[in-house]
Amino acid sequence: MQELEKKLNYTFRNQELLREALNHSSYANEHRSQGLGSNERLEFLGDSVLGFVTAEYLFARHPDSPEGELTRLRSYAVCEKSLFEYAKEIDLGDRLLLGKGEEMTGGRTRPSVVSDAFEAVIAAIYIDGGIGEAKKFVLRFVEPYVEAKPSFKDYKTILQEVVQKNQGESLKYVLVSESGPDHDKHFKVEVHLNSNVIGAGVGSSKKKAEQAAAKEALELMGI
């Protein structure tokens, strides 16, 4: 416990909270006679704390980003893959209490298991030390992870969000041409709003051409 607390940079007043955060449901089921609870309830709370702290950070740190971009950044920061990476920094998988079957099938390295436990730890810190300590712990992982994310604007999604504000409007991407040898392909795509061409783009793949077409459409709209 002390070794884990050092990695967490937090010392629990009530260590039972930390122990509960490490109890996978498979372990709790095997030790039901001892009255052990699993970390599922803590995971539920930790998910909300993580989402709130991350949203608050992004709102303050990126004042010029629209709602759609903030939502994408939050999704990136709190997805299972990201939580698994955070958990590996503190060797959380090695500390989990697993049932025999879960242990034998590689539960310690399963992203779903380890990321759930990470959320449970967040909740345990929140209950034990309050929102300030939980925020400090969450941002230790989220802040550098988000800010290191390669900047990439999903123009297709932005355009879709703009169009969806008007009911009955529909977008369609049409492949106009494809040229070049297999190792050097060039695709031209048009984006249609209903029956009107509102943008065109060229790229080395259909996806890149579609992004270029959406970008041109947004620029023509003044967005």
Side-chain angles (χ1 to χ4, degrees), residues 36-216:
L36 292 181
S38 76
N39 61 9
E40 290 177 346
R41 281 174 53 82
L42 286 174
E43 174 207 336
F44 167 78
L45 178 59
D47 178 70
S48 295
V49 175
L50 171 66
F52 167 72
V53 170
T54 302
E56 182 187 51
Y57 166 75
L58 293 173
F59 183 84
R61 181 68 175 78
H62 298 269
D64 299 324
S65 296
E67 183 267 346
E69 178 65 15
L70 293 176
T71 298
R72 283 185 288 277
L73 283 172
R74 182 178 60 185
S75 297
Y76 170 77
V78 305
C79 70
E80 181 181 284
K81 179 182 177 182
S82 299
L83 297 183
F84 185 53
E85 293 301 318
Y86 305 157
K88 286 195 290 187
E89 291 185 37
I90 55 175
D91 299 321
L92 188 60
D94 295 339
R95 316 286 178 172
L96 300 183
L97 296 172
L98 305 176
K100 295 177 181 177
E102 192 67 37
E103 184 79 68
M104 291 176 63
T105 56
R108 293 190 185 281
T109 57
R110 186 173 295 123
S112 60
V113 171
V114 180
S115 62
D116 286 350
F118 187 83
E119 289 180 326
V121 168
I122 293 172
I125 292 174
Y126 168 71
I127 294 171
D128 192 75
I131 189 62
E133 292 294 339
K135 183 176 180 179
K136 189 189 306 181
F137 177 73
V138 168
L139 293 184
R140 167 184 160 192
F141 301 94
V142 167
E143 183 175 2
Y145 199 72
V146 169
E147 301 311 326
K149 183 179 186 291
S151 59
F152 167 71
K153 285 194 174 182
D154 187 349
Y155 296 107
K156 286 182 65 177
T157 299
I158 296 171
L159 180 59
Q160 184 69 39
E161 290 171 351
V162 171
V163 170
Q164 284 177 342
K165 293 178 180 178
N166 299 311
Q167 292 186 354
E169 304 282 5
S170 63
L171 282 177
K172 183 178 180 182
Y173 290 86
V174 178
L175 179 63
V176 176
S177 65
E178 177 181 341
S179 60
D182 289 342
H183 68 278
D184 190 24
K185 285 283 189 183
H186 294 278
F187 299 86
K188 182 176 181 180
V189 168
E190 291 178 346
V191 56
H192 294 196
L193 178 59
N194 300 324
S195 59
N196 300 314
V197 178
I198 60 171
V202 177
S204 57
S205 69
K206 290 180 184 177
K207 288 184 178 180
K208 290 181 179 179
E210 289 173 354
Q211 285 288 344
K215 179 181 179 182
E216 181 177 89

